[in-house]
Amino acid sequence: MTVSYKDAPTITVDVNGVPFAYRQVGTEGGVPVVFLHHLTAALDDWDPAVIDGVASERHVIAFDNRGVGRSGGTTPDNVEAMADDAVAFLEALGLGTVDLLGYSLGGMVAQVVAQKRPDLVRRLVLAGTGPAGGKGGANAGPVLQSAIQQATNQGKHPKHSLFFSSTPTSQAAADAFLGRLDERTLQDRDTPVTNESIGAQLTALAKWEQGTSPAGLATVAQPTLVVNGDEDIMLPTINSFELAQLLPDALLSIYPDSGHGGIFQYHALFVQQTLDFLRH
């Protein structure tokens, strides 16, 4: 299989009549680690350092959920439907047991998958995310717009402020992260997420905060690693503390001087912690 994520071909699988795009790296066999990504993200938004690091020991699969990137269909406006689509994708690949690594919106999807289909999920890694009812999701639209405006004014990428803190160290990590995202050649790049899909995802984040309850987390028996930066402006870091408290079997890791993208700023540490956690 492909050695590095930046060289992994984009494949499609039929999911109930809809093509879903995905990439995979690592050696097949054992329990695969399936990555679930964030608001506005397509396959090219995953950090190769994180994917390749986890793939050094595990079979890793990253995919575009319904309506995102090269996947067909229409993006749902609620997390529950996104979770149903994720389960359908896993079943289309014939996967019976997986570990889920969910980041931001993907972490919410992972929580619902674990509740709806506990038979499918062995362990969870939840990064930069929060429980149902947690604060921040409903404000994601204005935060995103503010970051885009700030980026335009400063000649930077929105992720400089959305994912990283304002300190020189964190901003340097942002530059390095964005450089890694550009390692993939222009050939076989994923399709950017449409405004329609982003709108549906923002609605889903608002519903997650305003219309759902975290009570179901009490039934999540899977061991879970919860990770975030200490200054997350997208989904405030307090959500990660609450998530770790609500889950019956959780470990919490908070990275200093970092934001929503703490797992990318501290990619080597995050990979080490993730692999250590998933080995059991």
Side-chain angles (χ1 to χ4, degrees):
M1 196 177 289
T2 308
V3 174
S4 175
Y5 185 68
K6 68 181 177 63
D7 300 318
T10 306
I11 314 165
T12 58
V13 62
D14 182 279
V15 180
N16 300 325
V18 176
F20 274 48
Y22 70 102
R23 295 175 188 157
Q24 54 184 345
V25 288
T27 304
E28 290 192 54
V31 179
V33 183
V34 179
F35 281 54
L36 301 158
H37 51 34
H38 63 85
L39 168 73
T40 77
L43 290 170
D44 295 332
D45 291 287
W46 278 119
D47 188 344
V50 170
I51 293 227
D52 290 353
V54 176
S56 67
E57 293 188 12
R58 302 291 295 277
H59 176 200
V60 172
I61 300 168
F63 75 104
D64 286 333
N65 215 333
R66 183 183 297 270
V68 171
R70 289 199 202 172
S71 291
T74 302
T75 302
D77 68 355
N78 63 90
V79 173
E80 289 73 18
M82 293 176 183
D84 290 340
D85 288 334
V87 169
F89 168 77
L90 299 176
E91 291 179 334
L93 290 185
L95 301 175
T97 305
V98 299
D99 291 331
L100 292 180
L101 191 157
Y103 171 54
S104 193
L105 175 60
M108 300 168 187
V109 175
Q111 292 173 55
V112 177
V113 172
Q115 291 173 57
K116 287 189 169 189
R117 289 294 306 274
D119 57 302
L120 270 178
V121 183
R122 189 188 71 105
R123 283 183 171 242
L124 291 162
V125 179
L126 303 176
T129 192
K135 301 301 181 186
N139 197 43
V143 170
L144 183 62
Q145 287 299 321
S146 175
I148 292 171
Q149 185 61 53
Q150 181 179 336
T152 301
N153 294 340
Q154 297 178 349
K156 291 187 172 184
H157 194 286
K159 287 179 180 175
H160 274 97
S161 59
L162 286 173
F163 283 15
F164 298 85
S165 65
S166 59
T167 65
T169 302
S170 193
Q171 288 298 293
D175 292 336
F177 164 67
L178 292 166
R180 293 193 298 274
L181 294 189
D182 286 338
E183 288 175 0
R184 191 176 182 86
T185 64
L186 292 177
Q187 295 179 338
D188 197 29
R189 298 283 294 189
D190 201 0
T191 303
V193 180
T194 64
N195 288 334
E196 290 77 11
S197 286
I198 293 171
Q201 291 174 339
L202 288 170
T203 299
L205 285 169
K207 289 180 177 178
W208 182 254
E209 176 179 338
Q210 297 170 343
T212 53
S213 163
L217 289 175
T219 68
V220 176
Q222 293 93 338
T224 305
L225 173 63
V226 179
V227 183
N228 207 346
D230 65 350
E231 193 181 348
D232 188 339
I233 66 166
M234 289 289 294
L235 293 167
T237 306
I238 188 64
N239 286 293
S240 295
F241 285 89
E242 293 172 353
L243 189 56
Q245 289 175 335
L246 288 162
L247 287 160
D249 186 2
L251 295 171
L252 177 64
S253 184
I254 301 296
Y255 302 143
D257 181 32
S258 59
H260 191 61
I263 63 171
F264 308 132
Q265 180 168 336
Y266 292 91
H267 55 87
L269 175 59
F270 174 64
V271 166
Q272 176 188 335
Q273 289 181 331
T274 298
L275 288 176
D276 288 345
F277 174 72
L278 294 179
R279 283 189 195 113
H280 301 289

